[in-house]
Amino acid sequence: MPTPSKKSVPGDNLGERETPKPWGKCAVCSLRDYRFCAAFTRRIAKNAPGLIRTEREAVPRQNLYRAREALRQMVLVREGVAFRYVLVPDGQRQILSFCLPGDFIAASGTLRDSAHFSVQALTPMQLCVFDKKDFVKFVESDREAMRALADICIGEKEECEARIVDLGRRSSEERIARFMLDLMFQLQRRGIQHTSFQFPLRQQHIADALGLTQVHVSRVIGKFRREGLINLSRGTLDIIDVSALRHIAGGQRD
Amino acid sequence: MPTPSKKSVPGDNLGERETPKPWGKCAVCSLRDYRFCAAFTRRIAKNAPGLIRTEREAVPRQNLYRAREALRQMVLVREGVAFRYVLVPDGQRQILSFCLPGDFIAASGTLRDSAHFSVQALTPMQLCVFDKKDFVKFVESDREAMRALADICIGEKEECEARIVDLGRRSSEERIARFMLDLMFQLQRRGIQHTSFQFPLRQQHIADALGLTQVHVSRVIGKFRREGLINLSRGTLDIIDVSALRHIAGGQRD
DNA sequence: CGTCTAATTGAGATGAATCAACAATCGTGG
DNA sequence: CCACGATTGTTGATTCATCTCAATTAGACG
């Protein structure tokens, strides 16, 4: 059942251990030329010195945000993976996307009071946090920043639409193959140039992202493994035969 | 088969019959306080008098835009309905959304050179068209406009995510019921306060939007009709029992 | 080690797809 | 205004992909 198990987790919501830090740290961050940071960091340092960046950590299963809660902070992933999801009335879970390092967790929150999805950490995480009010003030005062924000939202929308096509018109094998390749390409864009990488998702997460059941995901992955396409164990995914997997995915993957 | 039938259609792409018009016409347009127009029209008239609005028409099945083509114009629906769709390699079609009066057809195109979806008219249409370059110049020069644009994109992203949940985790009956109710609420937001309204979609469109087959859509609609929930004929959808339909839809519809 | 969570595997059920024939509706030209 | 062809919708029979239920194994971790 996709019902997320309820395990007691320390500090269920973000809150403790805020550490105001200077922007200097950004200068040595590997994300500094990636997406959000590339567009914002330097600009903020220059034009909005009053906007404080703080740091937070999160542990696996920790809730970073709950649907419909007031959005008070803007959160950027520095390390680790989280996912955005929606629970439907009958208890099922649909995962909307995974948030990787460099992703803004709720960019759209800049112009909204709350979001309709929840966010949960999948791995231990390092986060950069901004006060929302301050951030909004900055974005509204800086044309380039507003543009960058729009750009990020558009990118998310495009990913969303690609996912709609997957869910509406592709088989489970296609979806799973595409999903793995997608993840690989996303990591590659972040500088990890391997066909083997950390894969912290449980089969249930894949199932909830792709509209399948965990059991079925297990069968498909088993098949891929038996066919020598991938190897997946102990949190590492190794894509052995990229081109065969891409073929199953139905082409079109970057 | 979801393959869209290839019928020869006059003026396959937008092109002929441009009519430069004054902004005065906007003053008497019923959409002037809705979304795009509410945010942009007056601002444009005041701050960017050089931005020309032209008018166009389109006939059913006419292609308004083809995926990956260079985006030269920004198109706003004034009357009629279009849909955005993607064709997958095996010939299937996934409809991403329907564009109703007041909708910007490709808002995200403002910051992109092209889009990955195509757009086709479903009914006869009246369109407002802006030259893209001029529009971009305006948006980049006007902070409020850029913000409005971001806002529109965020709204579209939210709709997208709702659709993902539908496709991933809801049955065909739920999807169809939700779809009809959604449409009703969207029209109501545009001022049409009835449970009976023009419904120009063929069953194939519903199927392609919801990841089903036309045959199955027919069965479900037949069932809804037999149960006295709706009546659908000659392009008019009458939702007879809103609350029962909402119940099938699984609550949560506005 | 024992306990807990995650993954595998089998058997059987089922929702939706497919195939196919037919009926209804629409648009058009005679 | 009718008749015809094209498009759209209906219905039945059958198949298939994926789900459900359930039991078992494998890993992770204190």
Side-chain angles (χ1 to χ4, degrees):
Chain A
M1 222 105 316
T3 313
S5 69
K6 277 167 199 156
K7 197 183 182 179
S8 82
V9 146
D12 193 42
N13 235 307
L14 288 172
E16 339 78 37
R17 272 192 315 262
E18 307 199 20
T19 341
K21 283 279 164 93
W23 288 90
K25 206 163 181 180
C26 292
V28 296
C29 177
S30 71
L31 293 168
R32 74 183 175 286
D33 293 319
Y34 184 72
R35 284 199 186 183
F36 173 92
C37 297
F40 288 78
T41 305
R42 276 168 258 250
R43 269 197 111 63
I44 291 175
K46 207 170 70 181
N47 303 339
L51 180 53
I52 306 291
R53 182 182 70 94
T54 57
E55 295 180 17
R56 294 267 177 71
E57 305 199 335
V59 299
R61 282 181 194 276
Q62 186 174 341
N63 252 89
L64 305 185
Y65 173 73
R66 257 195 248 290
R68 283 169 293 281
E69 220 172 57
L71 266 165
R72 297 219 162 70
Q73 322 182 302
M74 306 302 298
V75 180
L76 178 73
V77 178
R78 194 148 59 87
E79 231 182 281
V81 182
F83 59 92
R84 302 187 301 122
Y85 68 98
V86 171
L87 295 177
V88 298
D90 66 352
Q92 300 220 81
R93 181 174 73 178
Q94 176 66 42
I95 291 181
L96 298 173
S97 74
F98 294 88
C99 306
L100 304 181
D103 283 344
F104 218 1
I105 276 185
S108 49
T110 316
L111 305 183
R112 291 281 189 277
D113 296 330
S114 66
H116 54 94
F117 52 78
S118 304
V119 184
Q120 190 176 113
L122 190 63
T123 67
M125 302 187 79
Q126 307 275 348
L127 305 166
C128 296
V129 181
F130 309 92
D131 176 73
K132 187 186 143 178
K133 258 195 222 137
D134 294 345
F135 185 78
V136 170
K137 212 182 294 168
F138 162 61
V139 167
E140 303 231 332
S141 74
D142 184 310
R143 191 180 305 148
E144 269 308 303
M146 182 61 89
R147 189 205 154 103
L149 181 77
D151 214 76
I152 289 173
C153 291
I154 290 171
E156 289 181 7
K157 201 196 92 177
E158 286 170 347
E159 278 171 36
C160 248
E161 292 179 338
R163 181 62 45 89
I164 287 179
V165 177
D166 284 356
L167 293 177
R169 290 293 182 221
R170 288 193 236 258
S171 72
S172 59
E173 292 189 15
E174 288 175 292
R175 287 182 224 176
I176 292 173
R178 295 175 77 81
F179 181 76
M180 292 174 167
L181 289 170
D182 256 357
L183 193 58
M184 185 180 80
F185 290 125
Q186 281 192 50
L187 292 173
Q188 291 188 349
R189 256 175 262 132
R190 262 154 259 235
I192 296 139
Q193 296 287 352
H194 304 286
T195 55
S196 176
F197 46 87
Q198 285 295 108
F199 190 84
L201 324 203
R202 313 279 114 206
Q203 293 183 345
Q204 186 65 62
H205 295 115
I206 305 176
D208 288 343
L210 303 183
L212 305 166
T213 54
Q214 177 270 316
V215 174
H216 194 64
V217 170
S218 170
R219 285 189 225 275
V220 173
I221 287 179
K223 180 167 175 257
F224 285 177
R225 198 179 351 240
R226 261 173 272 120
E227 289 170 344
L229 304 178
I230 63 164
N231 193 26
L232 172 51
S233 65
R234 282 184 258 172
T236 299
L237 172 61
D238 186 359
I239 301 186
I240 298 165
D241 190 339
V242 175
S243 73
L245 199 62
R246 197 185 245 153
H247 185 250
I248 289 178
Q252 227 69 20
R253 225 80 284 265
D254 298 53
Chain B
M1 221 106 316
T3 313
S5 68
K6 278 167 199 156
K7 198 184 181 180
S8 82
V9 146
D12 194 42
N13 236 307
L14 288 172
E16 339 77 41
R17 274 191 316 259
E18 307 197 21
T19 343
K21 284 278 164 94
W23 288 91
K25 206 162 180 181
C26 291
V28 296
C29 177
S30 71
L31 293 167
R32 73 184 175 286
D33 292 319
Y34 184 73
R35 285 200 186 183
F36 173 92
C37 297
F40 287 77
T41 305
R42 275 168 259 249
R43 269 197 112 63
I44 291 175
K46 208 170 69 181
N47 303 337
L51 180 54
I52 307 292
R53 182 180 70 93
T54 57
E55 294 180 18
R56 295 266 177 71
E57 306 199 335
V59 299
R61 282 181 193 276
Q62 186 173 344
N63 252 88
L64 305 185
Y65 173 72
R66 256 195 249 291
R68 283 170 293 282
E69 219 172 56
L71 266 165
R72 297 220 161 70
Q73 323 181 302
M74 306 301 299
V75 180
L76 179 73
V77 179
R78 194 148 60 87
E79 231 183 283
V81 182
F83 59 91
R84 301 187 303 121
Y85 67 98
V86 172
L87 295 177
V88 299
D90 67 351
Q92 300 220 82
R93 181 174 73 178
Q94 176 65 43
I95 291 181
L96 298 173
S97 74
F98 294 89
C99 306
L100 304 182
D103 282 344
F104 218 2
I105 276 185
S108 49
T110 316
L111 305 184
R112 292 283 188 274
D113 295 330
S114 66
H116 54 95
F117 50 79
S118 304
V119 184
Q120 189 175 114
L122 191 62
T123 67
M125 303 187 77
Q126 307 275 348
L127 304 166
C128 295
V129 181
F130 310 94
D131 176 74
K132 188 187 143 177
K133 258 195 221 138
D134 294 345
F135 186 78
V136 169
K137 211 182 295 169
F138 162 61
V139 167
E140 303 231 333
S141 73
D142 185 310
R143 191 180 304 147
E144 269 307 304
M146 181 62 88
R147 188 205 154 101
L149 180 77
D151 215 77
I152 288 173
C153 291
I154 291 171
E156 289 180 7
K157 200 196 91 176
E158 286 169 348
E159 278 171 36
C160 248
E161 291 179 340
R163 181 63 45 89
I164 286 178
V165 177
D166 284 356
L167 292 177
R169 291 294 181 220
R170 287 192 236 259
S171 72
S172 59
E173 290 190 15
E174 287 175 292
R175 288 182 223 177
I176 292 173
R178 297 174 76 81
F179 180 77
M180 291 174 167
L181 289 170
D182 255 357
L183 193 58
M184 185 180 80
F185 291 125
Q186 280 192 50
L187 292 173
Q188 290 189 349
R189 255 174 262 131
R190 262 154 258 234
I192 297 138
Q193 296 287 352
H194 304 287
T195 56
S196 176
F197 46 87
Q198 285 296 108
F199 190 84
L201 324 202
R202 315 277 111 210
Q203 294 182 344
Q204 186 65 61
H205 296 116
I206 305 177
D208 288 343
L210 303 182
L212 304 166
T213 53
Q214 177 270 317
V215 174
H216 194 64
V217 169
S218 170
R219 285 189 225 276
V220 173
I221 287 180
K223 180 166 176 257
F224 285 177
R225 197 180 350 239
R226 260 173 272 118
E227 288 170 345
L229 303 178
I230 62 165
N231 193 25
L232 172 53
S233 64
R234 279 184 257 178
T236 299
L237 173 61
D238 186 359
I239 301 186
I240 297 164
D241 190 338
V242 175
S243 72
L245 199 62
R246 197 185 244 153
H247 185 249
I248 289 178
Q252 227 69 19
R253 227 80 282 264
D254 299 50

